[in-house]
Amino acid sequence: MVEASLALARSLKMVSVAEGVQHRPDWDLLGRLRCDVVQGYFIARPMSEEGLEAWTTQWTLRES
């Protein structure tokens, strides 16, 4: 279902967004399936604008 939805979005030249990603295996799968945007607790919990800069630094280090 996810793979078909992503293929449909690509064929319609739409940006795909996966919501509710909470675990690394989900993140990895969506990357392999070329999902454009991913959001969920695996990436970050809801935060204030002030917390964004600190989160950006932490996320950059995490992916290195």
Side-chain angles (χ1 to χ4, degrees):
M1 178 70 78
V2 173
E3 192 170 1
S5 296
L6 293 171
L8 178 60
R10 274 191 295 281
S11 72
L12 296 172
K13 297 182 179 12
M14 297 176 72
V15 174
S16 56
V17 180
E19 298 179 340
V21 176
Q22 295 188 28
H23 305 287
R24 182 68 194 224
D26 300 328
W27 165 271
D28 292 339
L29 174 63
L30 290 163
R32 286 192 304 275
L33 295 176
R34 298 182 302 138
C35 183
D36 297 311
V37 178
V38 178
Q39 66 184 46
Y41 285 169
F42 176 72
I43 294 101
R45 303 250 181 210
M47 69 184 80
S48 66
E49 184 178 339
E50 294 78 28
L52 182 59
E53 186 175 343
W55 174 84
T56 302
T57 300
Q58 180 185 24
W59 182 260
T60 302
L61 293 173
R62 177 182 183 177
E63 291 299 307
S64 297

